[in-house]
Amino acid sequence: MAHKIEKKSNPVVLERNTLFKGNWLKFEEIVYKDFKGSVRSWENVKRTPDRGAAVIIAVLRPSSRLVLIRQYRPPTDKYIIEFPAGLIDDGEDCIVSAVRELKEETGYVGKVVTSTAPVYSSPGLTDETVSIVFIDVDENDPQNINPVSANEATEDIEVFLVDLKRIYGFLNEREEVGDKIDAKLRTFSLLNNIL
């Protein structure tokens, strides 16, 4: 028995209403017409300014150690283990931002291998995008022998260098001591463990 295919229209945003605006975030209501033609509303959080972020997957060569950070994240009231990352500054692209953020947060410098187009990290909550940038770090480069980070006064960042073969176990160990894990990093570790 064949199923009748219902004709759907593309959803259309009718209006965006700002409900609250702070220094870095804006809370808005989106009024839209859904695929059935019904008018609905959705709440959304936007960054201001909205330029996206760069997430850095940096690997030390030749040791194949992954550069990770641990930092306190006020919305979670927890320390989170994550990839180095940062907002893209005005006039930057994701690659320039990634190289800058890696140096600021970890002290390491490296060569960009590739990057992704912007992707959504939590599309049910926000329209924020992140570009994932892969960087090889030559650990024998004199700049990387004793790296010194240049964290902002509000950043409390600890750097971890973790063998790619041990990433899954390392994250489990960090959870046992109370740290929480960023979803992008946990997904990476699961794939790395399976493959």
Side-chain angles (χ1 to χ4, degrees):
M1 178 196 285
H3 293 288
K4 184 178 179 183
I5 298 175
E6 182 181 342
K7 185 175 180 179
K8 297 179 183 180
S9 60
N10 287 331
V12 176
V13 171
L14 303 173
E15 59 186 73
R16 291 178 180 263
N17 302 308
T18 299
L19 304 176
F20 172 80
K21 185 174 181 191
N23 292 329
W24 304 105
L25 296 173
K26 177 169 65 169
F27 185 59
E28 65 181 12
E29 175 194 37
I30 301 168
V31 178
Y32 69 102
K33 191 179 287 188
D34 73 8
F35 66 96
K36 292 181 179 178
S38 300
V39 175
R40 302 191 179 279
S41 69
W42 194 272
E43 294 173 347
N44 178 51
V45 177
K46 292 183 76 67
R47 285 201 182 270
T48 57
D50 183 15
R51 292 187 290 265
V55 174
I56 304 118
I57 299 178
V59 179
L60 295 179
R61 302 292 186 193
S63 69
S64 294
R65 291 180 293 165
L66 191 62
V67 180
L68 302 177
I69 63 170
R70 176 184 186 260
Q71 69 177 317
Y72 178 75
R73 293 295 195 175
T76 66
D77 190 26
K78 305 271 186 263
Y79 278 90
I80 307 294
I81 305 291
E82 58 192 82
F83 292 115
L87 296 176
I88 297 172
D89 284 349
D90 194 26
E92 287 184 338
D93 63 19
C94 68
I95 291 172
V96 171
S97 179
V99 170
R100 176 183 52 76
E101 286 289 342
L102 182 65
K103 175 72 174 162
E104 287 176 9
E105 291 187 353
T106 70
Y108 285 104
V109 296
K111 178 183 175 192
V112 173
V113 176
T114 191
S115 65
T116 68
V119 295
Y120 295 96
S121 59
S122 188
L125 172 71
T126 179
D127 62 351
E128 178 187 49
T129 60
V130 298
S131 295
I132 301 169
V133 181
F134 295 84
I135 297 180
D136 273 344
V137 176
D138 178 358
E139 60 193 309
N140 295 315
D141 182 323
Q143 298 175 87
N144 293 323
I145 301 297
N146 291 306
V148 177
S149 61
N151 296 320
E152 296 175 15
T154 59
E155 294 178 317
D156 177 18
I157 295 176
E158 183 178 357
V159 177
F160 289 96
L161 305 177
V162 182
D163 188 306
L164 281 169
K165 295 174 189 163
R166 279 208 9 75
I167 188 70
Y168 184 80
F170 170 79
L171 296 181
N172 291 340
E173 292 166 9
R174 294 311 307 177
E175 284 181 317
E176 287 176 15
V177 298
D179 290 338
K180 299 302 177 186
I181 312 302
D182 178 79
K184 294 172 289 301
L185 177 56
R186 179 51 88 185
T187 302
F188 178 91
S189 78
L190 288 169
L191 286 171
N192 192 54
N193 192 50
I194 292 170
L195 300 177

